[in-house]
Amino acid sequence: MERKIAKRKTKKVASEEEGTNDFKRHQVISNWLESIFGRDSVPKFKINAESQELLFYAALNFKANEKFAKLLIEDLEGRTQEYNAEGTNIIYKGLGCSKFCDMASFTLE
């Protein structure tokens, strides 16, 4: 029962994303496998409707997850910069000077 539901969802996602053209699906699968394994070491697989459908769905999910991961990394890098800047400001305030004060002339009492 679950497999039939998954297949229906797979067909819906696949047709919405890339169309139902078998050649286009095979092209998406081949490009995805080459990006993972490299051009020379793509494993041979039996091309039938089920394997093509499963690999196509896996390729679409992989691409979506990869986009999400890139966005997440960009967000985390931005937050890191913000936290570092905030930490620097806290240190300068703790020392009693602004960010632009001359640290060479600053002495602790």
Side-chain angles (χ1 to χ4, degrees), residues 1-19:
M1 181 74 170
E2 289 179 14
R3 189 173 178 131
K4 288 181 182 180
I5 293 170
K7 281 187 177 184
R8 279 188 232 138
K9 288 181 181 179
T10 302
K11 287 179 183 177
K12 183 178 179 183
V13 169
S15 64
E16 289 173 358
E17 252 337 292
E18 298 290 339

Side-chain angles (χ1 to χ4, degrees), residues 62-93:
F62 181 83
K63 287 180 183 181
N65 288 336
E66 189 175 38
K67 286 179 186 177
F68 177 75
K70 286 179 183 179
L71 290 173
L72 184 61
I73 289 169
E74 288 175 11
D75 181 54
L76 292 175
E77 287 173 346
R79 288 181 188 208
T80 300
Q81 291 174 351
E82 290 174 12
Y83 291 144
N84 285 336
E86 184 64 28
T88 302
N89 287 338
I90 290 170
I91 290 170
Y92 282 123
K93 285 179 184 177

Side-chain angles (χ1 to χ4, degrees), residues 42-60:
V42 175
K44 301 292 182 196
F45 60 94
K46 186 175 179 181
I47 300 174
N48 58 32
E50 185 177 6
S51 66
Q52 187 178 29
E53 184 177 330
L54 292 172
L55 286 170
F56 183 69
Y57 185 67
L60 294 179

Side-chain angles (χ1 to χ4, degrees), residues 19-63:
T20 56
N21 184 334
D22 283 344
F23 176 75
K24 199 170 194 178
R25 283 183 175 198
H26 185 70
Q27 196 173 25
V28 169
I29 293 167
S30 296
N31 291 339
W32 174 61
L33 290 174
E34 284 178 9
S35 73
I36 292 175
F37 294 106
R39 183 167 281 211
D40 297 332
S41 62
V42 175
K44 301 292 182 196
F45 60 94
K46 186 175 179 181
I47 300 174
N48 58 32
E50 185 177 6
S51 66
Q52 187 178 29
E53 184 177 330
L54 292 172
L55 286 170
F56 183 69
Y57 185 67
L60 294 179
N61 281 329
F62 181 83
K63 287 180 183 181

